Amino acid sequence: MSHGVLDDIEKCMDSGWTDGLPVIPPYGSLVDPMLEALGWQASDVVGVIAEQSIKVRAEQVAATAVMAGCKPGYAPVLRALAQAILDPLFNVSGVEVTTGGASVLVIVSGPVVAALDFEHEANAMGGANRRINATVGRFAQMVRLFCGRGGGVLESHGTIGHPGRLSFCIAEHPETAWGPYHTQFGLAAEASAVTIMASEGPNSCNNHYSSTGAGILDTIGDCMMHYGQTAWYYRSSGFLVAIAPDHMDLVKRDFTREAARQYLYENARRQTDDLVKVGRIAIPPLEFAEVEFGAMRTPLKFIEQLSFVECGATGGRFSAVVPRWVGSRNVVCKQIEGL
Amino acid sequence: MSHGVLDDIEKCMDSGWTDGLPVIPPYGSLVDPMLEALGWQASDVVGVIAEQSIKVRAEQVAATAVMAGCKPGYAPVLRALAQAILDPLFNVSGVEVTTGGASVLVIVSGPVVAALDFEHEANAMGGANRRINATVGRFAQMVRLFCGRGGGVLESHGTIGHPGRLSFCIAEHPETAWGPYHTQFGLAAEASAVTIMASEGPNSCNNHYSSTGAGILDTIGDCMMHYGQTAWYYRSSGFLVAIAPDHMDLVKRDFTREAARQYLYENARRQTDDLVKVGRIAIPPLEFAEVEFGAMRTPLKFIEQLSFVECGATGGRFSAVVPRWVGSRNVVCKQIEGL
Amino acid sequence: MSKPMTEKLPAQRLMSCGEVSCEVLVNPIPRPEPEPIRITLKPKVPRVTLLDHKKPNSLAIMQFARQILQERGIEVSERILQKDDASTAMPAALLASLSQEPGLVLCGVSD
Amino acid sequence: MSKPMTEKLPAQRLMSCGEVSCEVLVNPIPRPEPEPIRITLKPKVPRVTLLDHKKPNSLAIMQFARQILQERGIEVSERILQKDDASTAMPAALLASLSQEPGLVLCGVSD
């Protein structure tokens, strides 16, 4: 049989047109239907990265989606996602170059989760081994890579990085206790949305024997304030907290989402002087850091830097804290249209 | 042109022969050279999973390597890696089914790192976007998946999972301050090795302003003992600690590897009664858990559960703690032969 | 919950039909030989056997379950079996013995 | 350190030559238009301009560097320029002005 396509895959691998894994070669015959599904003309400008003098065209976005393994049916998610990544508020070039080794974390919420059959239960924060979760997450990282290092302009300096830089997509339960994720960013409960933030990898939070919501939140809060959290740096971008069903059963009994956020904001604090002692605060500190010696200090700069997503399977008593990269302080949340 | 290969890729995606991302179809014409490079005959039994009545044959391992995107040149690593995953000590079925959402973490060390051009600096713990790191890490996860859920026998119950379940490979610096990783498991310093353990995702540990090795270790230790660490469960498997160059410059001045391990073992401890209070210890506790009320408690069951890897780029002051899954307490370290 | 496994079973065999020739793809997925143990969801006799896997609280939960079942007049084996550890497989002899049990076997209550 | 970027630049164009026909692959990688600013590593005049990006200690390090350079008789601009924040791009006017500087521009000392 003809192995021309295999040669093309190798050619992509050898030529820097990859994230390191096999891609679907971006033949025009595959890119065209993807463009049509996205509702764009090939030369439409999807976004501009002014600092790099880069205009990102629809053809490039569609080619990236094909290469990641996405189906044209995912286009409503991909369209909003591409616009979010290229929103200047997100600072995608910064995400690519930082020593923080950050990834583009993708959160999908609302009716789209069930409509497109995202996995939102077992291994919902990664490695669910389902095509839509894996390839949508990969698409976001490839856009980041192709706009940065791929273009030959930027070099990634991630000190250690994390595996989410290949694919990091979380789909929220279609039924939530506290309302859909995107309602924390002003969208209507009935909407579908894709939300992105620059992040480190998830820190898992296990608690098998607490019988109260406060016990679960204390465990999550303690993770948010360990000395190694990047959030103690002079800048902070906060955290995404993912609560799985077995923990949620306890937490929702005693806390609304707003109350849980307030509880973590007030209780997850450490002595500023201890942070100084261990080397987490510069001497002299920057004015921007608002350091108050002797006081209890939160890893959040504002309470709004904390948001909650409901995902994961029953049967295990785990939740997770995802630390956000400090250099991209904006969460970008876009409504998904045309489902 | 013929798109037969594209159809075959879709066929693999539709038929469960994938981790969710595009694969190279395992044509005999690709599997045969991989087998030859691995030094196996197609029907050789590479390993047996007795509880599942599964014999894993070389042909299946070679097909998986092709599908992941590995080159035949990676075969010396893949051969040792497959043997490690199928070593009964590793408990691969347990890794796949657990609510812990674990991945097979792969650590490559010794001269093989430079010989095969693994990325061991920027984003060395994931997302370096280099083919060998990405595909070797993916191969390990695909073997886990194909032996478990893939065979239709087991179902994965990962409560939340993490992105390393797609690919999680760390290559150590060829030059280390403390000696190669595998010397912690009895192999000679001049050997090349692949080591695996079941793990959660990396927890990043930032510290920009400490000027002492102890400050860096205190930061790492504080991460190891946050209340959410799975290691407080009645079982513990310990941690991998990755130290990047800027932190290592401080730590190596004051600590040998053995001294650093002893320091963390002695200092990263919490009050047992506080752990009870937050719900991290069952009442009554199991005898196996060796709970001593009122005493300071370590998240390690034995000091040997802690090992160090040296990787990552200069220019950032990050290290990382990788929590191990509690149900696979053995680290499996195999020498790489035939480089 | 996830879909039942039967819906997800991967293909046993894939055939590639390109324009030039046909080729069988090498199946990467090992399968149990002989077939794995089948789980019968409906027991043949109304009797319950309990197996503790030694996770915390498992034994306490099983003892409580035994008491409730007995109060309801259901036959429960007096001895609660135990395996060494939740993370290792059951010994072959125990598995062979339980696989012949016509009643309900309840094992591995999680904490 | 990683290899210099020049070795890693991805291909601008890939052509697929299967047995049936030829097809150009759609390039997924956006490139700067016009070409990005080139960095000249050898300054034309022996003069140093300092630009602080406001990370902690950056200003202190720059002040110290200025003092040492001045002691060695090297011309250093007295005023240390500042940009608002390490994580946001330099304003266009500042970039345009610095791109005309024939001396050495030292910016963004990290803590």
Side-chain angles (χ1 to χ4, degrees):
Chain A
M1 66 164 302
S2 161
H3 282 171
V5 175
L6 293 179
D7 295 342
D8 292 338
I9 296 174
E10 287 297 322
K11 221 180 278 179
C12 289
M13 299 279 265
D14 291 344
S15 309
W17 290 25
T18 179
D19 53 0
L21 294 175
V23 295
I24 306 289
Y27 301 120
S29 51
L30 300 175
V31 174
D32 286 347
M34 185 62 81
L35 265 174
E36 199 183 324
L38 287 164
W40 281 321
Q41 302 293 315
S43 60
D44 286 352
V45 174
V46 180
V48 173
I49 306 176
E51 317 87 86
Q52 289 179 245
S53 310
I54 279 179
K55 286 196 179 89
V56 181
R57 298 190 185 277
E59 187 179 60
Q60 293 158 336
V61 171
T64 304
V66 165
M67 294 174 82
C70 297
K71 291 183 178 182
Y74 309 164
V77 180
L78 301 174
R79 184 182 163 102
L81 179 51
Q83 287 169 330
I85 297 169
L86 297 171
D87 188 321
L89 284 174
F90 182 63
N91 185 19
V92 66
S93 323
V95 178
E96 176 57 10
V97 300
T98 175
T99 56
S103 62
V104 183
L105 168 58
V106 180
I107 302 159
V108 183
S109 53
V112 65
V113 170
L116 294 183
D117 203 20
F118 278 92
E119 177 62 80
H120 53 88
E121 293 179 337
N123 298 300
M125 300 196 70
N129 299 123
R130 186 169 298 194
R131 180 174 184 171
I132 190 165
N133 297 58
T135 61
V136 168
R138 184 190 194 192
F139 164 81
Q141 312 310 321
M142 283 176 89
V143 171
R144 183 205 80 230
L145 178 70
F146 287 169
C147 288
R149 195 171 72 184
V153 185
L154 305 178
E155 193 170 351
S156 177
H157 295 280
T159 311
I160 50 168
H162 69 92
R165 283 176 50 89
L166 279 174
S167 177
F168 197 2
C169 175
I170 300 173
E172 190 175 54
H173 294 312
E175 305 289 332
T176 57
W178 282 345
Y181 184 74
H182 51 262
T183 57
Q184 293 167 103
F185 300 94
L187 290 188
E190 60 275 21
S192 285
V194 64
T195 308
I196 62 167
M197 56 185 74
S199 83
E200 299 178 354
N203 297 196
S204 118
C205 289
N206 180 300
N207 188 323
H208 271 75
Y209 307 116
S210 177
S211 56
T212 67
I216 303 302
L217 292 181
D218 287 342
T219 306
I220 287 168
D222 201 67
C223 175
M224 281 170 47
M225 65 178 176
H226 76 66
Y227 281 148
Q229 286 292 4
T230 305
W232 294 121
Y233 195 42
Y234 77 106
R235 308 170 60 82
S236 165
S237 289
F239 301 90
L240 173 75
V241 171
I243 309 191
D246 288 13
H247 279 173
M248 199 60 184
D249 282 348
L250 292 171
V251 176
K252 74 181 178 196
R253 244 192 257 158
D254 300 328
F255 293 90
T256 62
R257 183 163 65 189
E258 203 38 64
R261 189 158 78 158
Q262 191 67 35
Y263 184 90
L264 285 170
Y265 183 67
E266 284 168 13
N267 291 282
R269 292 185 178 229
R270 283 189 103 143
Q271 244 303 329
T272 305
D273 300 30
D274 291 341
L275 289 164
V276 172
K277 208 167 136 198
V278 80
R280 294 312 316 274
I281 289 174
I283 305 174
L286 285 196
E287 196 187 333
F288 175 84
E290 298 172 3
V291 175
E292 193 186 332
F293 293 99
M296 296 300 283
R297 187 164 174 84
T298 161
L300 300 166
K301 197 154 173 73
F302 314 104
I303 190 172
E304 292 75 17
Q305 289 186 329
L306 189 60
S307 63
F308 295 93
V309 65
E310 300 178 38
C311 65
T314 55
R317 304 194 66 195
F318 288 87
S319 287
V321 166
V322 186
R324 290 171 52 195
W325 174 55
V326 297
S328 175
R329 275 171 300 164
N330 297 300
V331 171
V332 182
C333 174
K334 301 268 184 199
Q335 184 157 351
I336 295 172
E337 312 277 3
L339 266 183
Chain B
M1 65 164 303
S2 160
H3 281 172
V5 175
L6 294 178
D7 294 342
D8 292 338
I9 295 174
E10 287 297 322
K11 223 181 277 181
C12 289
M13 300 278 265
D14 290 344
S15 309
W17 290 26
T18 180
D19 53 359
L21 294 175
V23 294
I24 306 289
Y27 300 119
S29 51
L30 299 174
V31 173
D32 287 346
M34 185 62 82
L35 266 174
E36 200 183 323
L38 288 164
W40 281 320
Q41 302 293 315
S43 61
D44 286 352
V45 174
V46 179
V48 173
I49 306 175
E51 317 86 87
Q52 288 179 246
S53 310
I54 279 180
K55 287 196 178 89
V56 182
R57 297 191 186 277
E59 187 180 61
Q60 293 159 335
V61 171
T64 305
V66 165
M67 293 173 83
C70 296
K71 290 183 178 181
Y74 308 165
V77 180
L78 301 175
R79 184 182 161 101
L81 179 51
Q83 287 170 330
I85 297 169
L86 297 170
D87 189 320
L89 284 173
F90 183 62
N91 185 17
V92 66
S93 322
V95 178
E96 176 59 9
V97 300
T98 177
T99 55
S103 62
V104 182
L105 168 58
V106 179
I107 301 159
V108 183
S109 53
V112 65
V113 171
L116 293 183
D117 203 21
F118 278 92
E119 177 61 81
H120 53 87
E121 292 179 338
N123 298 299
M125 299 197 69
N129 299 122
R130 185 168 299 194
R131 180 174 186 172
I132 190 164
N133 297 58
T135 62
V136 167
R138 184 191 194 192
F139 164 81
Q141 313 309 321
M142 284 176 90
V143 171
R144 184 205 80 231
L145 178 69
F146 287 170
C147 288
R149 195 170 72 183
V153 186
L154 305 178
E155 194 170 351
S156 176
H157 295 280
T159 311
I160 50 168
H162 69 92
R165 283 175 51 89
L166 279 174
S167 176
F168 197 2
C169 175
I170 299 174
E172 190 176 56
H173 294 313
E175 306 289 332
T176 56
W178 281 346
Y181 184 74
H182 50 264
T183 58
Q184 293 166 102
F185 300 94
L187 290 187
E190 60 274 20
S192 284
V194 64
T195 308
I196 61 167
M197 56 185 74
S199 82
E200 299 178 353
N203 296 195
S204 119
C205 288
N206 181 300
N207 187 323
H208 270 74
Y209 306 116
S210 177
S211 55
T212 67
I216 303 302
L217 292 182
D218 288 341
T219 305
I220 288 169
D222 201 68
C223 175
M224 282 170 47
M225 64 178 176
H226 76 67
Y227 282 149
Q229 286 292 4
T230 305
W232 295 121
Y233 194 41
Y234 78 105
R235 307 171 60 82
S236 164
S237 290
F239 301 90
L240 173 75
V241 171
I243 308 190
D246 288 11
H247 278 173
M248 198 60 183
D249 283 346
L250 291 171
V251 176
K252 74 180 179 196
R253 241 192 260 159
D254 300 327
F255 293 89
T256 61
R257 184 163 66 190
E258 203 39 63
R261 189 158 79 158
Q262 191 67 35
Y263 184 90
L264 286 170
Y265 183 67
E266 284 168 14
N267 291 282
R269 292 185 178 229
R270 282 189 105 143
Q271 244 304 327
T272 305
D273 300 29
D274 291 342
L275 289 163
V276 172
K277 208 167 135 200
V278 80
R280 294 312 317 274
I281 289 174
I283 303 173
L286 285 196
E287 197 187 332
F288 176 84
E290 298 171 2
V291 175
E292 193 185 332
F293 293 98
M296 295 301 283
R297 186 165 174 84
T298 161
L300 300 166
K301 196 153 174 71
F302 314 104
I303 189 172
E304 292 74 17
Q305 289 186 330
L306 188 60
S307 62
F308 296 94
V309 65
E310 300 179 38
C311 65
T314 56
R317 303 194 66 195
F318 288 88
S319 288
V321 165
V322 186
R324 291 171 51 196
W325 175 54
V326 296
S328 174
R329 275 171 299 164
N330 298 300
V331 171
V332 182
C333 174
K334 301 268 184 198
Q335 185 157 349
I336 295 171
E337 312 277 3
L339 265 184
Chain C
M1 283 298 295
S2 302
K3 292 174 194 161
M5 272 316 293
T6 43
E7 283 185 38
K8 286 194 202 165
L9 266 182
Q12 292 264 11
R13 193 155 182 271
L14 290 183
M15 176 79 79
S16 158
C17 286
E19 292 182 9
V20 185
S21 68
C22 282
E23 190 172 349
V24 176
L25 275 59
V26 178
N27 186 344
I29 300 178
R31 290 187 187 272
E33 314 157 44
E35 285 290 297
I37 294 167
R38 297 263 162 241
I39 294 166
T40 311
L41 292 178
K42 199 173 156 52
K44 293 196 189 92
V45 300
R47 181 173 70 207
V48 178
T49 303
L50 299 168
L51 172 73
D52 169 35
H53 63 358
K54 292 199 179 166
K55 277 205 177 186
N57 303 334
S58 164
L59 188 59
I61 295 168
M62 291 224 157
Q63 285 164 339
F64 192 52
R66 180 176 56 191
Q67 186 193 327
I68 293 174
L69 290 166
Q70 283 172 339
E71 282 168 13
R72 295 186 185 175
I74 294 162
E75 185 188 345
V76 185
S77 60
E78 198 49 41
R79 182 165 156 252
I80 296 179
L81 301 172
Q82 289 199 302
K83 73 181 188 111
D84 261 3
D85 188 295
S87 78
T88 52
M90 197 180 294
L94 180 59
L95 181 61
S97 141
L98 288 177
S99 69
Q100 300 308 314
E101 168 60 41
L104 178 77
V105 180
L106 198 63
C107 54
V109 171
S110 280
D111 52 325
Chain D
M1 283 298 295
S2 303
K3 291 175 194 161
M5 272 316 294
T6 43
E7 284 183 36
K8 286 194 203 166
L9 266 181
Q12 293 263 12
R13 192 155 182 273
L14 291 184
M15 176 79 78
S16 158
C17 286
E19 292 182 8
V20 185
S21 67
C22 282
E23 191 172 346
V24 175
L25 275 60
V26 178
N27 186 345
I29 301 178
R31 292 189 185 271
E33 314 158 44
E35 285 290 297
I37 292 167
R38 298 265 161 239
I39 294 166
T40 311
L41 291 177
K42 198 174 155 54
K44 294 197 189 92
V45 301
R47 181 174 67 207
V48 178
T49 304
L50 299 168
L51 171 72
D52 169 35
H53 64 358
K54 292 200 180 164
K55 277 205 178 188
N57 303 335
S58 163
L59 188 59
I61 294 169
M62 291 222 157
Q63 286 164 338
F64 192 51
R66 179 176 59 192
Q67 186 192 327
I68 293 173
L69 290 167
Q70 283 172 339
E71 282 168 13
R72 295 186 185 175
I74 294 161
E75 185 186 346
V76 186
S77 59
E78 197 50 40
R79 183 167 155 251
I80 296 179
L81 301 172
Q82 290 198 300
K83 74 182 187 110
D84 262 3
D85 188 294
S87 78
T88 51
M90 196 180 294
L94 181 59
L95 181 61
S97 141
L98 287 177
S99 69
Q100 301 307 314
E101 169 59 41
L104 178 76
V105 180
L106 197 62
C107 54
V109 171
S110 281
D111 50 326

